[in-house]
Amino acid sequence: MRAPVLLIRLRPWEEAQWEAVRQKLEAAHPGVSIWLLSAGQPLPPWAGSFFHEIWQDGRPRGPGRWLSLMRRLSWGSFAVIYDGEGEGGAAQIKLWRILVRPAPEWRRFTLQNGAD
């Protein structure tokens, strides 16, 4: 079994955007389980069947929850982590990129041209 892929998206997308993301991830990673880290925003109806696992705590409050999330990101053994926040991104994701060890490959995910 190949290592899973994680998509981090903390802001909402519209249904058409989610569908584009789904198609790009399926094409880039066929047969690989894809996980989602979100901030509890509404997800499309198919999300539960597409994503292997969905974590809804992308904006942890308090040091205990923050450390718990860092542990899960580190121990997830992800092959690739996609930053789905686009241009500029979220400051906390930039910090996670520095702190998560062992360091998986991080890619910026944009809808215009897929993964950078």
Side-chain angles (χ1 to χ4, degrees):
M1 179 180 222
R2 296 187 302 193
V5 170
L6 175 68
L7 171 65
I8 300 174
R9 181 62 185 185
L10 304 178
R11 293 178 290 175
W13 269 325
E14 295 185 20
E15 179 72 30
Q17 293 172 308
W18 276 111
E19 191 58 42
V21 168
R22 177 183 184 167
Q23 291 173 3
K24 289 178 187 279
L25 288 174
E26 283 178 329
H29 303 282
V32 175
S33 63
I34 300 173
W35 298 27
L36 173 68
L37 172 61
S38 75
Q41 69 268 31
L43 300 174
W46 50 261
S49 62
F50 176 71
F51 292 108
H52 178 74
E53 200 164 316
I54 299 173
W55 297 339
Q56 295 275 347
D57 56 350
R59 296 188 192 264
R61 302 283 188 245
R65 290 185 178 160
W66 196 83
L67 287 172
S68 174
L69 179 58
M70 290 299 92
R71 256 194 324 266
R72 282 190 288 141
L73 290 174
S74 294
W75 296 345
S77 300
F78 297 106
V80 178
I81 296 179
Y82 285 102
D83 176 354
E85 293 301 300
E87 289 298 320
Q92 66 191 37
I93 295 176
K94 292 175 184 175
L95 180 61
W96 297 347
R97 190 175 188 156
I98 295 168
L99 297 177
V100 171
R101 296 290 181 253
E105 179 181 354
W106 286 76
R107 297 180 189 168
R108 190 167 27 107
F109 192 93
T110 59
L111 291 175
Q112 292 77 21
N113 57 9
D116 294 339

